[in-house]
């Protein structure tokens, strides 16, 4: 009986440490992904639109997509950010977290893309990024990757003003490195 308990505890420990190891942390290299936009075009971290650029990623489910609109608006107008040459904004929609059918979500994403033509909005159909990077479901996750795809910033939830300033400063710092 004791051996069985020790064995079960060891298995749980290994499973728990595996889950923690998968969480993306500042200073860690981000694993790649392959997601499509609403038109079916596939993107990864090595796509020409993202290669050699600092990338901010706003990962959210449809219910929390507006949680960090203030941060997105601040990024659009922040002086010193070299959009499209050294920096690119990316949105990733967690499709699986919604009860709406995918075709309706794709329509909404296409509409949002028209509002923000400089950003790329992708769809994660099965929690791939959420699981691979240890993100939080039902909130907006904000990540900044440098040009080598090392995580330089991560925040889960609504960014307060001080965090928005920090986000902008991290992007400015790493776009010039």
């Amino acid at each position: 009986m004791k051996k069985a308990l020790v064995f079960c505890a060891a298995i749980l420990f290994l499973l728990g440490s595996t889950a923690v190891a998968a969480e993306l942390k500042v200073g860690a290299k981000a694993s790649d992904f392959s997601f499509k936009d609403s038109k079916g075009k596939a993107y990864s971290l090595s796509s020409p639109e993202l290669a050699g650029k600092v990338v901010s990623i706003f990962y959210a489910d449809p219910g929390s997509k507006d949680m960090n609109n203030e941060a997105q608006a601040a990024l659009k107008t922040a002086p010193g950010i070299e959009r499209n040459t050294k920096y690119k904004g990316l949105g990733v929609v967690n499709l699986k977290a919604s009860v709406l059918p995918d075709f309706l979500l794709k329509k909404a994403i296409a509409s949002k893309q028209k509002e923000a033509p400089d950003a790329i909005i992708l769809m994660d159909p099965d929690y791939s990024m959420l699981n691979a990077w240890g993100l939080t479901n039902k909130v907006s996750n904000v990540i900044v990757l440098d040009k080598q795809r090392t995580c330089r910033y991560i925040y889960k939830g609504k960014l307060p003003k001080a965090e928005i300033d920090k986000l902008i400063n991290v992007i400015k710092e790493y776009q010039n490195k």
Side-chain angles (χ1 to χ4, degrees), residues 149-165:
R149 301 309 174 230
T150 300
C151 179
R152 297 301 173 185
Y153 179 87
I154 190 163
Y155 194 90
K156 299 172 183 180
K158 181 169 175 45
L159 281 86
K161 175 71 172 116
E163 284 296 321
I164 293 171
D165 294 340

Side-chain angles (χ1 to χ4, degrees), residues 36-43 106-107 109-111 113-114 117 121-123:
K36 294 180 180 176
D37 66 10
S38 61
K39 296 177 183 170
K41 181 177 178 183
Y43 290 86
K106 288 177 184 177
K107 268 184 111 165
I109 292 166
S111 175
Q113 184 70 66
K114 288 179 184 173
I121 303 173
L122 304 176
M123 299 174 291

Side-chain angles (χ1 to χ4, degrees), residues 4-150:
L5 286 175
V6 170
F7 179 74
C8 288
I11 295 292
L12 289 173
F13 175 77
L14 288 173
L15 290 174
S17 61
T18 302
V20 171
E23 185 173 352
L24 182 64
K25 302 234 185 242
V26 172
K29 188 116 172 149
S31 59
D32 206 352
F33 57 79
S34 180
F35 297 133
K36 294 180 180 176
D37 66 10
S38 61
K39 296 177 183 170
K41 181 177 178 183
Y43 290 86
S44 71
L45 288 173
S46 58
S47 293
E49 298 85 353
L50 305 176
K53 296 176 183 149
V54 172
V55 178
S56 69
I57 301 168
F58 285 76
Y59 183 94
D61 67 279
S64 61
K65 67 179 175 35
D66 296 327
M67 185 177 284
N68 280 312
N69 280 351
E70 187 180 340
Q72 292 172 357
L75 282 172
K76 287 179 189 174
T77 60
I81 292 183
E82 298 180 45
R83 290 160 200 79
N84 297 320
T85 56
K86 293 184 178 181
Y87 163 77
K88 192 70 176 170
L90 182 66
V92 180
V93 180
N94 179 359
L95 292 182
K96 194 167 184 173
S98 178
V99 295
L100 295 174
D102 285 357
F103 79 91
L104 284 177
L105 290 171
K106 288 177 184 177
K107 268 184 111 165
I109 292 166
S111 175
K112 182 89 170 170
Q113 184 70 66
K114 288 179 184 173
E115 293 173 23
D118 286 345
I120 298 170
I121 303 173
L122 304 176
M123 299 174 291
D124 180 354
D126 59 4
Y127 294 137
S128 294
M129 185 178 281
L130 182 115
N131 290 331
W133 291 6
L135 302 178
T136 302
N137 202 8
K138 306 293 184 195
V139 300
S140 176
N141 300 264
V142 182
I143 303 104
V144 175
L145 304 178
D146 68 15
K147 296 172 187 176
Q148 290 75 39
R149 301 309 174 230
T150 300

